[in-house]
Amino acid sequence: MSDPAVVLDDLRSESEEVDRLVRELGDDRWAASTPAPGWTVAHQIAHLAWTDRAALLAVTDPEGFAAETEKALAAPGTFVDDGAQEGAALPPAELLGRWRVGRERLRTALTSAPPGARFPWYGPSMSAASMATARLMETWAHGQDIADALGAVREPTARLRHVAWIGIRARDYAYLVRGTTPPADPFRVELTAPDGQKWAYGPEGAAQRITGPALDFCLLVTQRVHRDDTALEATGEDAAHWLTIAQAFAGPAGTGRAPRGA
């Protein structure tokens, strides 16, 4: 995903889809609980707005972002929740307005970023395309939490390819953030896209393999579903283990979701 314009267009579409989920909600529905413990619909939108602001800072003011990173390191277990809580306390219309303005400012900054530029982040540094991909991944994942809270069903789209890509690229990070060594051998990942096409990543002859629906893979790497509740199949011990720890997002190791019915 080397062309930031392509990813930015898809990010806008993903953001608009999530926007449609919440724009007509009454205040009581903004307070609806989502699958993330302690987080309401308002917390989910607040987190997207907060992370967009952090990304904009990384792109436009790296020194200012470094100062924010120091704050995160001082409170690694709470800084994400604190940011969401601050935004969730706002009136819904104001919160939604902030998210809309912030995501467009970030889009403008990434669109005008010079070719080859890299920006600091909570994990590895990112190019404009990878930053946009990360924002799309988070927008999709938190949008899923909102949809689940509201009982809405979202049709999967080809935009999932961005989520799958960043999930695969983050394979080694999932090990490193847990203090373990990533496998030396590459994996083969073959996913069935929403339209039935096949998305393939990694060497065709790799011994460690993962196959299954792209939607299930994306839900798993964003930790929106338990491994046991997917139709993903793993060949090889390393591949099977990765599916228990995979995370597409930067920051501390996530705890994932409990199995359905647990």
Side-chain angles (χ1 to χ4, degrees):
M1 303 305 172
S2 58
D3 186 352
V6 172
V7 191
L8 285 166
D9 285 346
D10 282 348
L11 172 57
R12 172 175 277 176
S13 296
E14 195 66 42
S15 298
E16 290 174 348
E17 180 177 304
V18 176
D19 198 305
R20 286 192 291 271
L21 287 174
V22 300
R23 65 179 57 166
E24 301 297 334
L25 292 181
D27 289 0
D28 59 327
R29 298 297 281 155
W30 279 85
S33 296
T34 69
W39 279 33
T40 65
V41 170
H43 284 85
Q44 300 287 349
I45 295 297
H47 176 71
L48 292 177
W50 177 86
T51 315
D52 284 346
R53 287 196 301 272
L56 181 61
L57 194 64
V59 173
T60 61
D61 182 8
E63 291 184 0
F65 179 77
E68 290 299 311
T69 303
E70 290 299 320
K71 295 178 184 178
L73 291 173
T78 61
F79 81 100
V80 171
D81 287 334
D82 289 345
Q85 182 59 42
E86 181 180 352
L90 297 171
E94 182 178 349
L95 171 58
L96 184 55
R98 287 192 181 189
W99 178 44
R100 288 169 173 169
V101 170
R103 73 195 195 215
E104 282 304 313
R105 286 177 176 170
L106 177 60
R107 175 185 172 83
T108 298
L110 289 173
T111 299
S112 59
R118 298 196 67 83
F119 311 107
W121 196 237
Y122 298 105
S125 64
M126 292 188 175
S127 65
S130 59
M131 181 71 80
T133 304
R135 298 310 309 128
L136 190 151
M137 176 271 297
E138 277 221 287
T139 302
W140 178 81
H142 290 282
Q144 186 62 47
D145 287 342
I146 292 169
D148 289 343
L150 300 176
V153 177
R154 300 193 301 169
E155 291 297 322
T157 73
R159 296 191 297 270
L160 288 179
R161 70 190 188 278
H162 303 297
V163 183
W165 173 245
I166 201 169
I168 291 165
R169 289 292 300 271
R171 186 201 74 166
D172 288 0
Y173 181 80
Y175 290 89
L176 296 172
V177 78
R178 289 165 174 80
T180 59
T181 302
D185 295 334
F187 289 3
R188 174 75 168 182
V189 179
E190 297 179 353
L191 304 175
T192 303
D195 64 358
Q197 293 187 51
K198 296 294 183 181
W199 297 341
Y201 312 85
E204 189 171 358
Q208 304 293 322
R209 304 175 66 85
I210 291 165
T211 60
L215 176 60
D216 284 11
F217 182 79
C218 292
L219 289 168
L220 185 71
V221 298
T222 55
Q223 298 193 352
R224 263 55 190 180
V225 71
H226 190 274
R227 164 73 179 95
D228 294 346
D229 294 322
T230 73
L232 298 171
E233 297 184 3
T235 301
E237 292 184 3
D238 288 341
H241 176 61
W242 179 46
L243 292 184
T244 68
I245 64 170
Q247 69 177 68
F249 49 87
T255 57
R257 297 281 166 85
R260 294 181 189 136

